[in-house]
Amino acid sequence: DAKTTQPPSMDCAEGRAANLPCNHSTISGNEYVYWYRQIHSQGPQYIIHGLKNNETNEMASLIITEDRKSSTLILPHATLRDTAVYYCIRTGVNTGKLIFGQGTTLQVKP
Amino acid sequence: NAGVMQNPRHLVRRRGQEARLRCSPMKGHSHVYWYRQLPEEGLKFMVYLQKENIIDESGMPKERFSAEFPKEGPSILRIQQVVRGDSAAYFCASSPTGGHQPQHFGDGTRLSIL
């Protein structure tokens, strides 16, 4: 079971930080957490991934709790172009397949 | 550095015809994945291929669908005798290796069946 739980929708004011939560309470030790987003009907865009340490790149930060049962994706300064569906996915090494849930629809408002 | 290239972007077929969708992975990537997104639904994994090998086809419909990734050339997703229910967006992704390297997606092929 590669299930994650995300709120179906969130709003964020432009210029503010967007914090998107994800619950993966049954994650196993070799599973990574990946975040993707899909803007309108484009192909999913990779954002960031991590195993147990917090990660940061030019797009976002990923905060993983110490027990690894949940994580938060942080977009530090949301813009209107960040409006999208955000997917939190857990998958094991060498598994290959990504299992997409319903994701969180983030609406960034002016 | 070009991303994952899919063509055609839009494909229209009549019921009973064949559809061929092509995917050229990013340079240096030898792993390819196909996903399908039905209208108003989420993305579903179909198949995972390495050069000349199918690694996981657990998401492929049992009939009419096949995929290949030859030693030379793009990966091909082939749908024979298409039906209306095959209308969807088909996305291809690639990664350099397996492991935990992220998959990078193309912009998809929108298949419409008349």
mmCIF file of all heavy atoms in Angstrom, chain B residues 66-108:
data_model
loop_
_atom_site.group_PDB
_atom_site.id
_atom_site.type_symbol
_atom_site.label_atom_id
_atom_site.label_comp_id
_atom_site.label_asym_id
_atom_site.label_seq_id
_atom_site.Cartn_x
_atom_site.Cartn_y
_atom_site.Cartn_z
ATOM 1 N N SER B 66 0.641 -2.444 -26.003
ATOM 2 C CA SER B 66 1.993 -2.975 -25.909
ATOM 3 C C SER B 66 2.973 -1.813 -25.879
ATOM 4 O O SER B 66 2.648 -0.703 -26.311
ATOM 5 C CB SER B 66 2.306 -3.909 -27.084
ATOM 6 O OG SER B 66 2.246 -3.200 -28.312
ATOM 7 N N ALA B 67 4.153 -2.072 -25.357
ATOM 8 C CA ALA B 67 5.177 -1.028 -25.268
ATOM 9 C C ALA B 67 6.524 -1.639 -25.551
ATOM 10 O O ALA B 67 6.773 -2.810 -25.259
ATOM 11 C CB ALA B 67 5.165 -0.376 -23.882
ATOM 12 N N GLU B 68 7.403 -0.819 -26.127
ATOM 13 C CA GLU B 68 8.764 -1.260 -26.379
ATOM 14 C C GLU B 68 9.711 -0.083 -26.218
ATOM 15 O O GLU B 68 9.322 1.091 -26.349
ATOM 16 C CB GLU B 68 8.890 -1.857 -27.776
ATOM 17 C CG GLU B 68 8.620 -0.880 -28.891
ATOM 18 C CD GLU B 68 8.836 -1.498 -30.278
ATOM 19 O OE1 GLU B 68 9.071 -2.711 -30.371
ATOM 20 O OE2 GLU B 68 8.800 -0.737 -31.247
ATOM 21 N N PHE B 69 10.952 -0.406 -25.956
ATOM 22 C CA PHE B 69 12.014 0.598 -25.865
ATOM 23 C C PHE B 69 13.241 -0.056 -26.495
ATOM 24 O O PHE B 69 14.044 -0.695 -25.825
ATOM 25 C CB PHE B 69 12.260 0.976 -24.411
ATOM 26 C CG PHE B 69 13.205 2.126 -24.204
ATOM 27 C CD1 PHE B 69 13.508 3.030 -25.221
ATOM 28 C CD2 PHE B 69 13.793 2.322 -22.971
ATOM 29 C CE1 PHE B 69 14.384 4.090 -25.020
ATOM 30 C CE2 PHE B 69 14.672 3.384 -22.750
ATOM 31 C CZ PHE B 69 14.958 4.262 -23.768
ATOM 32 N N PRO B 70 13.377 0.093 -27.806
ATOM 33 C CA PRO B 70 14.449 -0.616 -28.517
ATOM 34 C C PRO B 70 15.819 -0.037 -28.211
ATOM 35 O O PRO B 70 15.944 1.067 -27.649
ATOM 36 C CB PRO B 70 14.085 -0.410 -29.992
ATOM 37 C CG PRO B 70 13.269 0.839 -30.008
ATOM 38 C CD PRO B 70 12.522 0.866 -28.715
ATOM 39 N N LYS B 71 16.834 -0.776 -28.629
ATOM 40 C CA LYS B 71 18.211 -0.349 -28.402
ATOM 41 C C LYS B 71 18.464 1.019 -29.037
ATOM 42 O O LYS B 71 19.161 1.867 -28.468
ATOM 43 C CB LYS B 71 19.160 -1.386 -28.972
ATOM 44 C CG LYS B 71 20.620 -1.145 -28.663
ATOM 45 C CD LYS B 71 21.474 -2.294 -29.195
ATOM 46 C CE LYS B 71 22.947 -2.067 -28.886
ATOM 47 N NZ LYS B 71 23.793 -3.170 -29.414
ATOM 48 N N GLU B 72 17.925 1.226 -30.213
ATOM 49 C CA GLU B 72 18.029 2.509 -30.886
ATOM 50 C C GLU B 72 16.644 3.078 -31.097
ATOM 51 O O GLU B 72 15.727 2.360 -31.461
ATOM 52 C CB GLU B 72 18.726 2.339 -32.245
ATOM 53 C CG GLU B 72 20.118 1.736 -32.172
ATOM 54 C CD GLU B 72 21.118 2.675 -31.531
ATOM 55 O OE1 GLU B 72 20.866 3.897 -31.543
ATOM 56 O OE2 GLU B 72 22.135 2.185 -31.006
ATOM 57 N N GLY B 73 16.494 4.369 -30.879
ATOM 58 C CA GLY B 73 15.232 5.012 -31.165
ATOM 59 C C GLY B 73 14.364 5.205 -29.943
ATOM 60 O O GLY B 73 14.723 4.817 -28.816
ATOM 61 N N PRO B 74 13.193 5.815 -30.160
ATOM 62 C CA PRO B 74 12.330 6.165 -29.040
ATOM 63 C C PRO B 74 11.574 4.967 -28.485
ATOM 64 O O PRO B 74 11.518 3.894 -29.106
ATOM 65 C CB PRO B 74 11.356 7.166 -29.665
ATOM 66 C CG PRO B 74 11.242 6.717 -31.088
ATOM 67 C CD PRO B 74 12.620 6.235 -31.465
ATOM 68 N N SER B 75 10.985 5.165 -27.335
ATOM 69 C CA SER B 75 10.044 4.185 -26.799
ATOM 70 C C SER B 75 8.704 4.381 -27.512
ATOM 71 O O SER B 75 8.315 5.514 -27.834
ATOM 72 C CB SER B 75 9.879 4.383 -25.295
ATOM 73 O OG SER B 75 8.898 3.503 -24.792
ATOM 74 N N ILE B 76 8.025 3.287 -27.750
ATOM 75 C CA ILE B 76 6.733 3.325 -28.433
ATOM 76 C C ILE B 76 5.667 2.673 -27.556
ATOM 77 O O ILE B 76 5.866 1.559 -27.054
ATOM 78 C CB ILE B 76 6.778 2.555 -29.772
ATOM 79 C CG1 ILE B 76 7.900 3.061 -30.676
ATOM 80 C CG2 ILE B 76 5.423 2.629 -30.477
ATOM 81 C CD1 ILE B 76 7.692 4.435 -31.236
ATOM 82 N N LEU B 77 4.562 3.381 -27.395
ATOM 83 C CA LEU B 77 3.363 2.785 -26.792
ATOM 84 C C LEU B 77 2.368 2.578 -27.921
ATOM 85 O O LEU B 77 2.018 3.519 -28.628
ATOM 86 C CB LEU B 77 2.773 3.693 -25.716
ATOM 87 C CG LEU B 77 1.506 3.167 -25.018
ATOM 88 C CD1 LEU B 77 1.831 1.947 -24.159
ATOM 89 C CD2 LEU B 77 0.878 4.261 -24.148
ATOM 90 N N ARG B 78 1.955 1.336 -28.100
ATOM 91 C CA ARG B 78 1.092 0.980 -29.225
ATOM 92 C C ARG B 78 -0.258 0.506 -28.700
ATOM 93 O O ARG B 78 -0.318 -0.345 -27.803
ATOM 94 C CB ARG B 78 1.762 -0.128 -30.028
ATOM 95 C CG ARG B 78 1.023 -0.585 -31.263
ATOM 96 C CD ARG B 78 1.790 -1.738 -31.895
ATOM 97 N NE ARG B 78 1.132 -2.278 -33.078
ATOM 98 C CZ ARG B 78 1.318 -3.508 -33.529
ATOM 99 N NH1 ARG B 78 2.149 -4.323 -32.898
ATOM 100 N NH2 ARG B 78 0.690 -3.913 -34.609
ATOM 101 N N ILE B 79 -1.302 1.081 -29.278
ATOM 102 C CA ILE B 79 -2.659 0.674 -28.911
ATOM 103 C C ILE B 79 -3.351 0.194 -30.189
ATOM 104 O O ILE B 79 -3.529 0.957 -31.138
ATOM 105 C CB ILE B 79 -3.473 1.832 -28.299
ATOM 106 C CG1 ILE B 79 -2.673 2.537 -27.187
ATOM 107 C CG2 ILE B 79 -4.794 1.301 -27.733
ATOM 108 C CD1 ILE B 79 -3.326 3.806 -26.656
ATOM 109 N N GLN B 80 -3.694 -1.067 -30.201
ATOM 110 C CA GLN B 80 -4.369 -1.631 -31.368
ATOM 111 C C GLN B 80 -5.885 -1.549 -31.199
ATOM 112 O O GLN B 80 -6.405 -1.580 -30.082
ATOM 113 C CB GLN B 80 -3.953 -3.094 -31.544
ATOM 114 C CG GLN B 80 -2.477 -3.269 -31.861
ATOM 115 C CD GLN B 80 -2.100 -4.743 -31.996
ATOM 116 O OE1 GLN B 80 -2.044 -5.461 -31.016
ATOM 117 N NE2 GLN B 80 -1.845 -5.173 -33.222
ATOM 118 N N GLN B 81 -6.579 -1.432 -32.328
ATOM 119 C CA GLN B 81 -8.047 -1.453 -32.348
ATOM 120 C C GLN B 81 -8.631 -0.538 -31.276
ATOM 121 O O GLN B 81 -9.384 -0.976 -30.401
ATOM 122 C CB GLN B 81 -8.551 -2.885 -32.172
ATOM 123 C CG GLN B 81 -8.062 -3.826 -33.260
ATOM 124 C CD GLN B 81 -8.471 -5.269 -33.019
ATOM 125 O OE1 GLN B 81 -8.985 -5.601 -31.955
ATOM 126 N NE2 GLN B 81 -8.250 -6.109 -34.009
ATOM 127 N N VAL B 82 -8.284 0.724 -31.358
ATOM 128 C CA VAL B 82 -8.668 1.672 -30.317
ATOM 129 C C VAL B 82 -10.182 1.752 -30.159
ATOM 130 O O VAL B 82 -10.941 1.573 -31.114
ATOM 131 C CB VAL B 82 -8.095 3.079 -30.595
ATOM 132 C CG1 VAL B 82 -6.582 3.060 -30.551
ATOM 133 C CG2 VAL B 82 -8.602 3.630 -31.917
ATOM 134 N N VAL B 83 -10.584 2.016 -28.906
ATOM 135 C CA VAL B 83 -11.982 2.219 -28.557
ATOM 136 C C VAL B 83 -12.113 3.576 -27.888
ATOM 137 O O VAL B 83 -11.113 4.190 -27.496
ATOM 138 C CB VAL B 83 -12.494 1.102 -27.612
ATOM 139 C CG1 VAL B 83 -12.365 -0.265 -28.269
ATOM 140 C CG2 VAL B 83 -11.735 1.109 -26.290
ATOM 141 N N ARG B 84 -13.359 4.045 -27.752
ATOM 142 C CA ARG B 84 -13.593 5.378 -27.193
ATOM 143 C C ARG B 84 -12.954 5.531 -25.809
ATOM 144 O O ARG B 84 -12.446 6.590 -25.454
ATOM 145 C CB ARG B 84 -15.091 5.651 -27.106
ATOM 146 C CG ARG B 84 -15.731 5.894 -28.453
ATOM 147 C CD ARG B 84 -16.140 7.346 -28.622
ATOM 148 N NE ARG B 84 -16.563 7.613 -29.988
ATOM 149 C CZ ARG B 84 -17.813 7.466 -30.419
ATOM 150 N NH1 ARG B 84 -18.761 7.028 -29.602
ATOM 151 N NH2 ARG B 84 -18.111 7.754 -31.669
ATOM 152 N N GLY B 85 -12.961 4.476 -25.035
ATOM 153 C CA GLY B 85 -12.414 4.533 -23.685
ATOM 154 C C GLY B 85 -10.910 4.722 -23.616
ATOM 155 O O GLY B 85 -10.364 4.963 -22.545
ATOM 156 N N ASP B 86 -10.239 4.627 -24.765
ATOM 157 C CA ASP B 86 -8.793 4.866 -24.791
ATOM 158 C C ASP B 86 -8.471 6.353 -24.873
ATOM 159 O O ASP B 86 -7.297 6.731 -24.762
ATOM 160 C CB ASP B 86 -8.160 4.153 -26.006
ATOM 161 C CG ASP B 86 -8.311 2.651 -25.944
ATOM 162 O OD1 ASP B 86 -8.393 2.102 -24.816
ATOM 163 O OD2 ASP B 86 -8.346 2.011 -27.015
ATOM 164 N N SER B 87 -9.478 7.182 -25.063
ATOM 165 C CA SER B 87 -9.249 8.629 -25.108
ATOM 166 C C SER B 87 -8.679 9.092 -23.767
ATOM 167 O O SER B 87 -9.300 8.900 -22.721
ATOM 168 C CB SER B 87 -10.549 9.377 -25.394
ATOM 169 O OG SER B 87 -11.036 9.076 -26.684
ATOM 170 N N ALA B 88 -7.512 9.682 -23.814
ATOM 171 C CA ALA B 88 -6.820 10.066 -22.573
ATOM 172 C C ALA B 88 -5.566 10.841 -22.943
ATOM 173 O O ALA B 88 -5.203 10.961 -24.117
ATOM 174 C CB ALA B 88 -6.426 8.829 -21.768
ATOM 175 N N ALA B 89 -4.896 11.350 -21.898
ATOM 176 C CA ALA B 89 -3.553 11.902 -22.072
ATOM 177 C C ALA B 89 -2.564 10.834 -21.639
ATOM 178 O O ALA B 89 -2.707 10.243 -20.565
ATOM 179 C CB ALA B 89 -3.383 13.160 -21.234
ATOM 180 N N TYR B 90 -1.589 10.589 -22.483
ATOM 181 C CA TYR B 90 -0.567 9.576 -22.196
ATOM 182 C C TYR B 90 0.763 10.300 -21.974
ATOM 183 O O TYR B 90 1.238 11.021 -22.838
ATOM 184 C CB TYR B 90 -0.458 8.591 -23.349
ATOM 185 C CG TYR B 90 -1.696 7.718 -23.484
ATOM 186 C CD1 TYR B 90 -2.821 8.182 -24.157
ATOM 187 C CD2 TYR B 90 -1.736 6.453 -22.914
ATOM 188 C CE1 TYR B 90 -3.969 7.402 -24.255
ATOM 189 C CE2 TYR B 90 -2.872 5.653 -23.022
ATOM 190 C CZ TYR B 90 -3.985 6.137 -23.685
ATOM 191 O OH TYR B 90 -5.112 5.362 -23.786
ATOM 192 N N PHE B 91 1.312 10.077 -20.783
ATOM 193 C CA PHE B 91 2.551 10.742 -20.415
ATOM 194 C C PHE B 91 3.691 9.741 -20.332
ATOM 195 O O PHE B 91 3.522 8.635 -19.825
ATOM 196 C CB PHE B 91 2.403 11.447 -19.061
ATOM 197 C CG PHE B 91 1.454 12.604 -19.075
ATOM 198 C CD1 PHE B 91 0.156 12.459 -18.625
ATOM 199 C CD2 PHE B 91 1.876 13.849 -19.529
ATOM 200 C CE1 PHE B 91 -0.722 13.527 -18.629
ATOM 201 C CE2 PHE B 91 0.996 14.925 -19.543
ATOM 202 C CZ PHE B 91 -0.307 14.764 -19.092
ATOM 203 N N CYS B 92 4.825 10.180 -20.789
ATOM 204 C CA CYS B 92 6.040 9.400 -20.693
ATOM 205 C C CYS B 92 6.985 10.112 -19.732
ATOM 206 O O CYS B 92 7.009 11.356 -19.671
ATOM 207 C CB CYS B 92 6.673 9.291 -22.078
ATOM 208 S SG CYS B 92 8.333 8.623 -22.110
ATOM 209 N N ALA B 93 7.728 9.345 -18.968
ATOM 210 C CA ALA B 93 8.747 9.895 -18.082
ATOM 211 C C ALA B 93 10.036 9.117 -18.276
ATOM 212 O O ALA B 93 10.021 7.972 -18.752
ATOM 213 C CB ALA B 93 8.298 9.825 -16.623
ATOM 214 N N SER B 94 11.154 9.732 -17.910
ATOM 215 C CA SER B 94 12.420 9.019 -17.981
ATOM 216 C C SER B 94 13.278 9.341 -16.769
ATOM 217 O O SER B 94 13.080 10.356 -16.092
ATOM 218 C CB SER B 94 13.176 9.360 -19.277
ATOM 219 O OG SER B 94 13.698 10.681 -19.240
ATOM 220 N N SER B 95 14.206 8.438 -16.492
ATOM 221 C CA SER B 95 15.169 8.663 -15.424
ATOM 222 C C SER B 95 16.505 8.070 -15.867
ATOM 223 O O SER B 95 16.538 7.159 -16.704
ATOM 224 C CB SER B 95 14.700 8.038 -14.103
ATOM 225 O OG SER B 95 14.642 6.637 -14.191
ATOM 226 N N PRO B 96 17.611 8.555 -15.298
ATOM 227 C CA PRO B 96 18.915 8.068 -15.744
ATOM 228 C C PRO B 96 19.183 6.629 -15.336
ATOM 229 O O PRO B 96 19.791 5.869 -16.095
ATOM 230 C CB PRO B 96 19.908 9.029 -15.080
ATOM 231 C CG PRO B 96 19.160 9.646 -13.957
ATOM 232 C CD PRO B 96 17.725 9.668 -14.348
ATOM 233 N N THR B 97 18.746 6.279 -14.166
ATOM 234 C CA THR B 97 18.908 4.921 -13.665
ATOM 235 C C THR B 97 17.646 4.580 -12.912
ATOM 236 O O THR B 97 16.697 5.373 -12.873
ATOM 237 C CB THR B 97 20.098 4.825 -12.692
ATOM 238 O OG1 THR B 97 19.825 5.670 -11.561
ATOM 239 C CG2 THR B 97 21.385 5.269 -13.334
ATOM 240 N N GLY B 98 17.599 3.438 -12.292
ATOM 241 C CA GLY B 98 16.504 3.155 -11.373
ATOM 242 C C GLY B 98 16.830 3.850 -10.069
ATOM 243 O O GLY B 98 17.166 5.018 -10.052
ATOM 244 N N GLY B 99 16.825 3.131 -9.000
ATOM 245 C CA GLY B 99 17.154 3.735 -7.720
ATOM 246 C C GLY B 99 16.189 4.840 -7.354
ATOM 247 O O GLY B 99 15.003 4.767 -7.679
ATOM 248 N N HIS B 100 16.666 5.863 -6.710
ATOM 249 C CA HIS B 100 15.778 6.931 -6.271
ATOM 250 C C HIS B 100 15.873 8.172 -7.142
ATOM 251 O O HIS B 100 15.380 9.231 -6.777
ATOM 252 C CB HIS B 100 16.063 7.284 -4.812
ATOM 253 C CG HIS B 100 17.411 7.898 -4.591
ATOM 254 N ND1 HIS B 100 17.651 9.244 -4.723
ATOM 255 C CD2 HIS B 100 18.595 7.336 -4.248
ATOM 256 C CE1 HIS B 100 18.924 9.484 -4.470
ATOM 257 N NE2 HIS B 100 19.516 8.364 -4.177
ATOM 258 N N GLN B 101 16.484 8.026 -8.314
ATOM 259 C CA GLN B 101 16.545 9.168 -9.219
ATOM 260 C C GLN B 101 15.135 9.554 -9.659
ATOM 261 O O GLN B 101 14.336 8.695 -10.031
ATOM 262 C CB GLN B 101 17.379 8.820 -10.454
ATOM 263 C CG GLN B 101 18.837 8.593 -10.149
ATOM 264 C CD GLN B 101 19.509 9.850 -9.651
ATOM 265 O OE1 GLN B 101 19.265 10.917 -10.183
ATOM 266 N NE2 GLN B 101 20.327 9.716 -8.616
ATOM 267 N N PRO B 102 14.783 10.840 -9.627
ATOM 268 C CA PRO B 102 13.419 11.237 -9.982
ATOM 269 C C PRO B 102 13.124 11.021 -11.454
ATOM 270 O O PRO B 102 14.012 11.066 -12.298
ATOM 271 C CB PRO B 102 13.371 12.715 -9.620
ATOM 272 C CG PRO B 102 14.791 13.165 -9.648
ATOM 273 C CD PRO B 102 15.610 11.984 -9.224
ATOM 274 N N GLN B 103 11.861 10.801 -11.743
ATOM 275 C CA GLN B 103 11.394 10.694 -13.112
ATOM 276 C C GLN B 103 11.036 12.091 -13.620
ATOM 277 O O GLN B 103 10.458 12.896 -12.896
ATOM 278 C CB GLN B 103 10.160 9.791 -13.186
ATOM 279 C CG GLN B 103 10.441 8.372 -12.728
ATOM 280 C CD GLN B 103 9.192 7.510 -12.700
ATOM 281 O OE1 GLN B 103 8.218 7.775 -13.405
ATOM 282 N NE2 GLN B 103 9.226 6.464 -11.880
ATOM 283 N N HIS B 104 11.384 12.335 -14.870
ATOM 284 C CA HIS B 104 11.061 13.609 -15.493
ATOM 285 C C HIS B 104 10.087 13.345 -16.635
ATOM 286 O O HIS B 104 10.334 12.470 -17.472
ATOM 287 C CB HIS B 104 12.327 14.300 -15.990
ATOM 288 C CG HIS B 104 13.241 14.702 -14.875
ATOM 289 N ND1 HIS B 104 13.129 15.902 -14.221
ATOM 290 C CD2 HIS B 104 14.249 14.027 -14.266
ATOM 291 C CE1 HIS B 104 14.054 15.968 -13.261
ATOM 292 N NE2 HIS B 104 14.741 14.841 -13.270
ATOM 293 N N PHE B 105 9.017 14.114 -16.661
ATOM 294 C CA PHE B 105 7.904 13.853 -17.566
ATOM 295 C C PHE B 105 7.919 14.737 -18.803
ATOM 296 O O PHE B 105 8.374 15.894 -18.769
ATOM 297 C CB PHE B 105 6.576 14.090 -16.845
ATOM 298 C CG PHE B 105 6.195 13.008 -15.876
ATOM 299 C CD1 PHE B 105 6.802 12.927 -14.632
ATOM 300 C CD2 PHE B 105 5.245 12.065 -16.218
ATOM 301 C CE1 PHE B 105 6.462 11.923 -13.733
ATOM 302 C CE2 PHE B 105 4.887 11.056 -15.323
ATOM 303 C CZ PHE B 105 5.503 10.995 -14.085
ATOM 304 N N GLY B 106 7.387 14.166 -19.888
ATOM 305 C CA GLY B 106 7.091 14.946 -21.070
ATOM 306 C C GLY B 106 5.732 15.615 -20.938
ATOM 307 O O GLY B 106 5.043 15.457 -19.929
ATOM 308 N N ASP B 107 5.344 16.345 -21.971
ATOM 309 C CA ASP B 107 4.072 17.067 -21.941
ATOM 310 C C ASP B 107 2.901 16.248 -22.459
ATOM 311 O O ASP B 107 1.789 16.756 -22.542
ATOM 312 C CB ASP B 107 4.189 18.384 -22.712
ATOM 313 C CG ASP B 107 4.866 19.464 -21.878
ATOM 314 O OD1 ASP B 107 4.771 19.394 -20.635
ATOM 315 O OD2 ASP B 107 5.490 20.361 -22.470
ATOM 316 N N GLY B 108 3.149 15.014 -22.807
ATOM 317 C CA GLY B 108 2.059 14.095 -23.091
ATOM 318 C C GLY B 108 1.570 14.093 -24.519
ATOM 319 O O GLY B 108 1.859 14.999 -25.315
#
